Amino acid sequence: MKLKVIKFGLALATASLLTACAGHQSAEQAHTHFTPGLGEIMAQSAARHAKLWFAGQALNWELAAYEVDELHEGFEDAANYHRTHKQIKQTIPELIAQHMDQPLADIERAIKDKNLQAFVRHYDDLTVACNACHQVTDFGFNRVTRPAFNPFANQAFGLSN
Ligand code: HEC
């Protein structure tokens, strides 16, 4: 009787262990197949766009250059994972090349030159270009602006030295 109870307990434990493993495996599989949606990539880009502003304002050119790189990577992901999107007629890589290549190159130059005035001008051009793509894709209700305040309480934007 006692042995039976132990056996039953063991069987239960094994069963739950197997279930746990199966759960783990499927979570891992889901992870490898996970593709961020265009909206998710855009939300990340909006955070980078805001951080870029505060890095520039703090004359932290290294951080500013990093945020521009991250924007590039986000748009690469958008182009690779979302060649087409919903009802949009043009392809996403085409639209990105049209709207982002020039303003990103311009702001990169301003950052290399450590030129705050040029940075601000090209930052505003970049923002206009983000919104231009939203307009032509019928997502014009997503309006990006210069950030009104810094929501990133846990990141230092100024130079440490
Ligand atoms: C290909 C043209 C294109 C470019 C360039 C573009 N966007 Fe978007 N953006 C979109 C589309 C399309 C959506 C809507 C995606 C969806 O279906 O959720 C979007 C959505 C967004 C959203 C809403 C996301 C949310 O979850 O609230 C934000 C914010 C955004 N974009 C910011 C930016 C910023 C910042 C830039 C420039 C640095 C930019 N976008 C450049 C096409 C573009």
Side-chain angles (χ1 to χ4, degrees):
M1 177 68 192
K2 208 174 176 188
L3 196 70
K4 256 192 182 164
V5 171
I6 291 169
K7 266 194 182 158
F8 179 68
L10 262 175
L12 257 186
T14 315
S16 55
L17 206 71
L18 281 174
T19 323
C21 284
H24 182 64
Q25 200 179 27
S26 63
E28 241 172 30
Q29 274 168 351
H31 178 72
T32 24
H33 294 290
F34 176 73
T35 304
L38 188 59
E40 274 68 55
I41 296 172
M42 285 290 159
Q44 286 274 13
S45 297
R48 266 71 192 248
H49 173 266
K51 289 182 181 196
L52 175 60
W53 174 255
F54 294 109
Q57 291 309 295
L59 308 181
N60 191 342
W61 302 119
E62 208 178 341
L63 178 60
Y66 169 82
E67 297 301 349
V68 172
D69 273 353
E70 293 299 303
L71 280 172
H72 273 300
E73 283 177 20
F75 288 125
E76 269 166 36
D77 286 349
N80 289 336
Y81 295 128
H82 303 280
R83 228 193 118 62
T84 57
H85 186 70
K86 297 182 180 167
Q87 78 286 359
I88 301 172
K89 289 186 189 75
Q90 268 180 288
T91 68
I92 299 298
E94 256 168 22
L95 285 162
I96 289 168
Q98 271 169 25
H99 294 280
M100 291 290 103
D101 285 3
Q102 192 60 49
L104 286 176
D106 288 342
I107 205 159
E108 254 162 4
R109 162 89 10 236
I111 291 167
K112 273 210 184 88
D113 294 345
K114 305 185 184 200
N115 181 337
L116 179 60
Q117 250 189 331
F119 173 87
V120 169
R121 190 154 31 91
H122 293 308
Y123 186 89
D124 288 340
D125 291 345
L126 173 67
T127 308
V128 166
C130 300
N131 289 327
C133 197
H134 295 159
Q135 289 284 344
V136 299
T137 53
D138 289 335
F139 284 92
F141 52 85
N142 281 318
R143 270 196 311 123
V144 189
T145 63
R146 269 192 205 178
F149 64 91
N150 187 341
F152 304 103
N154 61 344
Q155 184 168 359
F157 288 85
L159 296 161
S160 57
N161 45 14

Short mmCIF file of all heavy atoms in Angstrom, two decimals, residues 97-135:
data_model
loop_
_atom_site.label_atom_id
_atom_site.label_comp_id
_atom_site.label_asym_id
_atom_site.label_seq_id
_atom_site.Cartn_x
_atom_site.Cartn_y
_atom_site.Cartn_z
N ALA A 97 14.09 53.37 -47.79
CA ALA A 97 15.17 53.99 -48.56
C ALA A 97 14.78 55.42 -48.94
O ALA A 97 15.58 56.35 -48.80
CB ALA A 97 15.47 53.17 -49.80
N GLN A 98 13.55 55.60 -49.39
CA GLN A 98 13.09 56.93 -49.80
C GLN A 98 13.08 57.93 -48.66
O GLN A 98 13.45 59.08 -48.84
CB GLN A 98 11.65 56.84 -50.33
CG GLN A 98 11.55 56.55 -51.81
CD GLN A 98 10.11 56.22 -52.21
OE1 GLN A 98 9.17 56.62 -51.54
NE2 GLN A 98 9.97 55.46 -53.27
N HIS A 99 12.64 57.49 -47.50
CA HIS A 99 12.40 58.45 -46.43
C HIS A 99 13.52 58.54 -45.41
O HIS A 99 13.72 59.60 -44.81
CB HIS A 99 11.09 58.11 -45.71
CG HIS A 99 9.89 58.29 -46.58
ND1 HIS A 99 9.32 59.52 -46.81
CD2 HIS A 99 9.18 57.41 -47.31
CE1 HIS A 99 8.29 59.38 -47.64
NE2 HIS A 99 8.19 58.10 -47.96
N MET A 100 14.23 57.47 -45.18
CA MET A 100 15.19 57.45 -44.07
C MET A 100 16.65 57.62 -44.47
O MET A 100 17.44 58.14 -43.69
CB MET A 100 15.04 56.15 -43.26
CG MET A 100 13.74 56.05 -42.47
SD MET A 100 13.67 57.18 -41.06
CE MET A 100 12.60 58.48 -41.69
N ASP A 101 17.03 57.15 -45.66
CA ASP A 101 18.47 57.13 -46.01
C ASP A 101 19.11 58.51 -45.87
O ASP A 101 20.14 58.67 -45.21
CB ASP A 101 18.68 56.55 -47.41
CG ASP A 101 18.53 55.03 -47.43
OD1 ASP A 101 18.19 54.46 -46.37
OD2 ASP A 101 18.73 54.41 -48.50
N GLN A 102 18.49 59.51 -46.50
CA GLN A 102 19.08 60.86 -46.50
C GLN A 102 19.11 61.48 -45.10
O GLN A 102 20.19 61.86 -44.63
CB GLN A 102 18.32 61.76 -47.50
CG GLN A 102 19.03 63.07 -47.78
CD GLN A 102 20.42 62.85 -48.37
OE1 GLN A 102 20.59 62.09 -49.33
NE2 GLN A 102 21.44 63.49 -47.80
N PRO A 103 17.98 61.56 -44.40
CA PRO A 103 18.04 62.19 -43.07
C PRO A 103 18.95 61.46 -42.09
O PRO A 103 19.63 62.11 -41.27
CB PRO A 103 16.59 62.18 -42.57
CG PRO A 103 15.79 61.50 -43.58
CD PRO A 103 16.60 61.27 -44.81
N LEU A 104 19.05 60.14 -42.19
CA LEU A 104 19.95 59.42 -41.27
C LEU A 104 21.41 59.72 -41.62
O LEU A 104 22.24 59.91 -40.72
CB LEU A 104 19.67 57.91 -41.29
CG LEU A 104 18.40 57.44 -40.57
CD1 LEU A 104 18.19 55.94 -40.75
CD2 LEU A 104 18.41 57.79 -39.09
N ALA A 105 21.71 59.81 -42.92
CA ALA A 105 23.08 60.15 -43.34
C ALA A 105 23.43 61.57 -42.88
O ALA A 105 24.54 61.82 -42.41
CB ALA A 105 23.21 60.02 -44.85
N ASP A 106 22.46 62.48 -43.00
CA ASP A 106 22.70 63.88 -42.61
C ASP A 106 22.97 64.00 -41.11
O ASP A 106 23.86 64.73 -40.69
CB ASP A 106 21.49 64.75 -42.97
CG ASP A 106 21.36 64.96 -44.48
OD1 ASP A 106 22.35 64.74 -45.20
OD2 ASP A 106 20.25 65.36 -44.92
N ILE A 107 22.18 63.29 -40.33
CA ILE A 107 22.36 63.42 -38.87
C ILE A 107 23.65 62.73 -38.44
O ILE A 107 24.34 63.18 -37.53
CB ILE A 107 21.11 62.93 -38.10
CG1 ILE A 107 21.06 63.61 -36.73
CG2 ILE A 107 21.04 61.42 -37.97
CD1 ILE A 107 19.72 63.63 -36.08
N GLU A 108 24.04 61.68 -39.18
CA GLU A 108 25.31 61.01 -38.90
C GLU A 108 26.48 61.98 -39.11
O GLU A 108 27.42 62.00 -38.31
CB GLU A 108 25.48 59.82 -39.84
CG GLU A 108 25.27 58.50 -39.14
CD GLU A 108 25.01 57.36 -40.12
OE1 GLU A 108 25.06 57.58 -41.36
OE2 GLU A 108 24.74 56.26 -39.66
N ARG A 109 26.38 62.75 -40.16
CA ARG A 109 27.43 63.72 -40.47
C ARG A 109 27.51 64.76 -39.35
O ARG A 109 28.59 65.09 -38.86
CB ARG A 109 27.14 64.36 -41.85
CG ARG A 109 27.78 65.61 -42.20
CD ARG A 109 29.15 65.59 -42.89
NE ARG A 109 29.64 64.29 -43.37
CZ ARG A 109 30.81 63.76 -43.01
NH1 ARG A 109 31.60 64.40 -42.17
NH2 ARG A 109 31.20 62.62 -43.48
N ALA A 110 26.35 65.28 -38.92
CA ALA A 110 26.32 66.29 -37.85
C ALA A 110 26.95 65.74 -36.57
O ALA A 110 27.65 66.45 -35.85
CB ALA A 110 24.88 66.73 -37.59
N ILE A 111 26.69 64.45 -36.31
CA ILE A 111 27.23 63.81 -35.10
C ILE A 111 28.75 63.67 -35.23
O ILE A 111 29.49 63.98 -34.29
CB ILE A 111 26.55 62.44 -34.87
CG1 ILE A 111 25.09 62.65 -34.46
CG2 ILE A 111 27.30 61.62 -33.82
CD1 ILE A 111 24.23 61.39 -34.50
N LYS A 112 29.22 63.27 -36.41
CA LYS A 112 30.67 63.16 -36.64
C LYS A 112 31.35 64.51 -36.46
O LYS A 112 32.44 64.59 -35.91
CB LYS A 112 30.93 62.64 -38.06
CG LYS A 112 30.93 61.14 -38.17
CD LYS A 112 31.86 60.65 -39.30
CE LYS A 112 31.75 59.15 -39.45
NZ LYS A 112 30.68 58.74 -40.38
N ASP A 113 30.66 65.56 -36.94
CA ASP A 113 31.21 66.93 -36.85
C ASP A 113 31.00 67.53 -35.46
O ASP A 113 31.41 68.66 -35.21
CB ASP A 113 30.55 67.83 -37.90
CG ASP A 113 30.91 67.42 -39.32
OD1 ASP A 113 31.87 66.63 -39.49
OD2 ASP A 113 30.22 67.88 -40.26
N LYS A 114 30.29 66.84 -34.59
CA LYS A 114 29.95 67.36 -33.25
C LYS A 114 29.34 68.75 -33.36
O LYS A 114 29.71 69.67 -32.63
CB LYS A 114 31.19 67.37 -32.34
CG LYS A 114 31.83 66.00 -32.26
CD LYS A 114 32.98 65.98 -31.27
CE LYS A 114 33.61 64.61 -31.35
NZ LYS A 114 34.37 64.12 -30.35
N ASN A 115 28.41 68.88 -34.29
CA ASN A 115 27.81 70.18 -34.59
C ASN A 115 26.36 70.18 -34.10
O ASN A 115 25.47 69.61 -34.74
CB ASN A 115 27.90 70.40 -36.11
CG ASN A 115 27.34 71.73 -36.54
OD1 ASN A 115 26.51 72.33 -35.84
ND2 ASN A 115 27.78 72.20 -37.68
N LEU A 116 26.14 70.82 -32.96
CA LEU A 116 24.81 70.79 -32.34
C LEU A 116 23.75 71.45 -33.22
O LEU A 116 22.64 70.93 -33.33
CB LEU A 116 24.86 71.47 -30.96
CG LEU A 116 23.51 71.51 -30.21
CD1 LEU A 116 22.95 70.11 -29.95
CD2 LEU A 116 23.65 72.26 -28.89
N GLN A 117 24.11 72.58 -33.83
CA GLN A 117 23.14 73.28 -34.68
C GLN A 117 22.68 72.40 -35.83
O GLN A 117 21.48 72.28 -36.10
CB GLN A 117 23.81 74.52 -35.27
CG GLN A 117 23.25 75.81 -34.71
CD GLN A 117 23.80 77.01 -35.47
OE1 GLN A 117 24.91 76.96 -36.01
NE2 GLN A 117 23.01 78.06 -35.51
N ALA A 118 23.65 71.77 -36.51
CA ALA A 118 23.31 70.88 -37.62
C ALA A 118 22.54 69.67 -37.10
O ALA A 118 21.60 69.20 -37.75
CB ALA A 118 24.58 70.43 -38.34
N PHE A 119 22.93 69.20 -35.93
CA PHE A 119 22.23 68.05 -35.33
C PHE A 119 20.75 68.37 -35.16
O PHE A 119 19.88 67.58 -35.54
CB PHE A 119 22.86 67.69 -33.98
CG PHE A 119 22.10 66.63 -33.22
CD1 PHE A 119 22.34 65.28 -33.43
CD2 PHE A 119 21.10 66.99 -32.31
CE1 PHE A 119 21.62 64.30 -32.75
CE2 PHE A 119 20.38 66.02 -31.63
CZ PHE A 119 20.63 64.68 -31.85
N VAL A 120 20.45 69.54 -34.58
CA VAL A 120 19.05 69.92 -34.30
C VAL A 120 18.28 70.03 -35.61
O VAL A 120 17.15 69.52 -35.73
CB VAL A 120 19.00 71.24 -33.49
CG1 VAL A 120 17.58 71.78 -33.42
CG2 VAL A 120 19.56 71.01 -32.08
N ARG A 121 18.90 70.67 -36.61
CA ARG A 121 18.24 70.84 -37.91
C ARG A 121 17.93 69.47 -38.52
O ARG A 121 16.80 69.21 -38.95
CB ARG A 121 19.16 71.64 -38.84
CG ARG A 121 18.53 72.09 -40.12
CD ARG A 121 19.20 73.35 -40.68
NE ARG A 121 20.63 73.46 -40.36
CZ ARG A 121 21.61 72.99 -41.12
NH1 ARG A 121 21.35 72.35 -42.23
NH2 ARG A 121 22.88 73.14 -40.76
N HIS A 122 18.91 68.58 -38.52
CA HIS A 122 18.70 67.28 -39.15
C HIS A 122 17.82 66.37 -38.30
O HIS A 122 17.16 65.48 -38.83
CB HIS A 122 20.05 66.62 -39.47
CG HIS A 122 20.79 67.37 -40.52
ND1 HIS A 122 20.23 67.70 -41.73
CD2 HIS A 122 22.05 67.87 -40.56
CE1 HIS A 122 21.10 68.36 -42.46
NE2 HIS A 122 22.22 68.48 -41.77
N TYR A 123 17.80 66.62 -37.01
CA TYR A 123 16.88 65.86 -36.16
C TYR A 123 15.44 66.19 -36.56
O TYR A 123 14.60 65.29 -36.70
CB TYR A 123 17.10 66.19 -34.67
CG TYR A 123 16.27 65.30 -33.77
CD1 TYR A 123 16.77 64.09 -33.32
CD2 TYR A 123 14.97 65.68 -33.39
CE1 TYR A 123 15.99 63.25 -32.51
CE2 TYR A 123 14.20 64.85 -32.59
CZ TYR A 123 14.71 63.64 -32.15
OH TYR A 123 13.95 62.82 -31.36
N ASP A 124 15.18 67.48 -36.76
CA ASP A 124 13.83 67.88 -37.16
C ASP A 124 13.50 67.34 -38.56
O ASP A 124 12.36 66.93 -38.81
CB ASP A 124 13.68 69.40 -37.10
CG ASP A 124 13.63 69.90 -35.65
OD1 ASP A 124 13.33 69.09 -34.75
OD2 ASP A 124 13.90 71.09 -35.41
N ASP A 125 14.49 67.33 -39.46
CA ASP A 125 14.28 66.75 -40.80
C ASP A 125 13.94 65.26 -40.68
O ASP A 125 13.07 64.76 -41.40
CB ASP A 125 15.55 66.87 -41.67
CG ASP A 125 15.84 68.31 -42.05
OD1 ASP A 125 14.94 69.16 -41.89
OD2 ASP A 125 16.98 68.58 -42.48
N LEU A 126 14.65 64.57 -39.81
CA LEU A 126 14.39 63.15 -39.61
C LEU A 126 12.96 62.93 -39.13
O LEU A 126 12.24 62.06 -39.65
CB LEU A 126 15.39 62.58 -38.58
CG LEU A 126 15.16 61.14 -38.12
CD1 LEU A 126 15.39 60.15 -39.27
CD2 LEU A 126 16.09 60.77 -36.94
N THR A 127 12.54 63.74 -38.18
CA THR A 127 11.19 63.63 -37.62
C THR A 127 10.14 63.87 -38.70
O THR A 127 9.15 63.12 -38.80
CB THR A 127 11.03 64.63 -36.45
OG1 THR A 127 12.11 64.44 -35.55
CG2 THR A 127 9.72 64.43 -35.72
N VAL A 128 10.38 64.88 -39.54
CA VAL A 128 9.46 65.16 -40.66
C VAL A 128 9.39 63.95 -41.58
O VAL A 128 8.32 63.56 -42.05
CB VAL A 128 9.93 66.43 -41.43
CG1 VAL A 128 9.22 66.56 -42.77
CG2 VAL A 128 9.69 67.68 -40.58
N ALA A 129 10.55 63.31 -41.81
CA ALA A 129 10.61 62.15 -42.71
C ALA A 129 9.89 60.94 -42.12
O ALA A 129 9.23 60.19 -42.86
CB ALA A 129 12.07 61.81 -43.03
N CYS A 130 10.01 60.73 -40.81
CA CYS A 130 9.25 59.65 -40.16
C CYS A 130 7.76 59.87 -40.45
O CYS A 130 7.05 58.96 -40.87
CB CYS A 130 9.43 59.66 -38.63
SG CYS A 130 11.11 59.46 -38.02
N ASN A 131 7.32 61.10 -40.23
CA ASN A 131 5.90 61.40 -40.40
C ASN A 131 5.47 61.34 -41.86
O ASN A 131 4.33 60.98 -42.16
CB ASN A 131 5.58 62.77 -39.78
CG ASN A 131 5.66 62.72 -38.26
OD1 ASN A 131 5.33 61.70 -37.66
ND2 ASN A 131 6.10 63.80 -37.64
N ALA A 132 6.39 61.68 -42.77
CA ALA A 132 6.06 61.60 -44.20
C ALA A 132 5.75 60.16 -44.59
O ALA A 132 4.80 59.89 -45.33
CB ALA A 132 7.22 62.15 -45.04
N CYS A 133 6.53 59.21 -44.05
CA CYS A 133 6.27 57.81 -44.36
C CYS A 133 4.95 57.38 -43.73
O CYS A 133 4.19 56.62 -44.34
CB CYS A 133 7.42 56.92 -43.89
SG CYS A 133 7.37 55.28 -44.66
N HIS A 134 4.66 57.88 -42.55
CA HIS A 134 3.36 57.55 -41.92
C HIS A 134 2.22 58.08 -42.77
O HIS A 134 1.19 57.41 -42.93
CB HIS A 134 3.29 58.14 -40.50
CG HIS A 134 4.29 57.52 -39.55
ND1 HIS A 134 4.71 58.11 -38.39
CD2 HIS A 134 4.95 56.33 -39.63
CE1 HIS A 134 5.59 57.33 -37.78
NE2 HIS A 134 5.75 56.24 -38.52
N GLN A 135 2.41 59.28 -43.33
CA GLN A 135 1.37 59.88 -44.18
C GLN A 135 1.09 59.02 -45.41
O GLN A 135 -0.05 58.68 -45.69
CB GLN A 135 1.81 61.28 -44.65
CG GLN A 135 1.82 62.34 -43.56
CD GLN A 135 0.43 62.84 -43.21
OE1 GLN A 135 -0.52 62.63 -43.97
NE2 GLN A 135 0.30 63.49 -42.06
#
